[in-house]
Amino acid sequence: MGLEIDGQELSAGCAAMAEAKPGLRKPVFTKVAQLRPSTSGHTLTVKVVSTKMVLQKGRADGPQGRQTRIAECLVGDETGLIIFTARNDQVDLMQEGSSITLRNAKIDMWKGSMRLAVDKWGRVEVAEPASFTVKEDNNLSLIEYELVNVVEE
């Protein structure tokens, strides 16, 4: 006997499809040292080492209450460090010493160096305190990259 919906019995194939969950994949966690220029879709758990506010524009009591805030946060794991650019509401989550999970993060290039960012398609979440010690002598944001055009003949 198959699955019944609104009094109608479904075939075994349809019943299996009806019970299956939509295609959510388990996230594959990346380490900071594995990040490469201009890549995206990264999920990682990092600790916030330091936070520095670089831009605060607009007024919270303005007509729409619009305020633009950008902070550069040094984040890392047991493999290295990278600068994370936190925007608006993300700034509030980036407290020094806290553990953060970044979902669907991307690498932006700024003046030849890598910056980690999470746009509207990703999420920044406070995570359980991580057990690792941040490796502070491998800062990926200090490596300067140069875009080289390769001409194929």
Side-chain angles (χ1 to χ4, degrees):
M1 185 163 172
L3 184 67
E4 215 174 277
I5 295 180
D6 292 331
Q8 294 186 343
E9 191 172 315
L10 298 176
S11 68
C14 287
M17 284 174 50
E19 291 171 2
K21 293 248 187 283
L24 289 177
R25 296 191 326 245
K26 273 202 122 10
V28 176
F29 282 83
T30 308
K31 296 292 181 196
V32 171
Q34 296 172 311
L35 299 173
R36 296 291 171 257
S38 301
T39 56
S40 61
H42 304 293
T43 300
L44 14 80
T45 298
V46 292
K47 278 187 184 175
V48 180
V49 177
S50 66
T51 301
K52 181 177 84 181
M53 187 69 75
V54 291
L55 177 73
Q56 191 155 357
K57 272 193 338 195
R59 295 199 329 255
D61 60 348
Q64 282 93 24
R66 277 225 223 118
Q67 187 179 23
T68 301
R69 295 182 303 158
I70 297 177
E72 287 187 344
C73 311
L74 195 57
V75 299
D77 62 13
E78 67 271 20
T79 64
L81 295 167
I82 191 164
I83 293 176
F84 173 74
T85 306
R87 299 176 190 282
N88 302 326
D89 295 340
Q90 297 172 355
V91 174
D92 300 329
L93 301 174
M94 305 308 283
Q95 303 297 324
E96 288 184 25
S98 62
S99 296
I100 303 290
T101 299
L102 305 172
R103 297 190 187 280
N104 204 17
K106 62 179 181 163
I107 299 293
D108 287 332
M109 297 306 290
W110 188 76
K111 291 187 178 177
S113 65
M114 293 194 301
R115 297 277 197 270
L116 193 60
V118 173
D119 59 12
K120 66 179 181 178
W121 305 111
R123 287 205 330 241
V124 177
E125 307 166 330
V126 176
E128 294 293 315
S131 59
F132 57 78
T133 305
V134 177
K135 182 176 182 181
E136 298 196 21
D137 61 350
N138 184 20
N139 188 339
L140 297 185
S141 293
L142 295 178
I143 301 169
E144 195 168 313
Y145 292 88
E146 188 175 337
L147 182 62
V148 178
N149 292 325
V150 178
V151 179
E152 291 188 25
E153 296 180 27

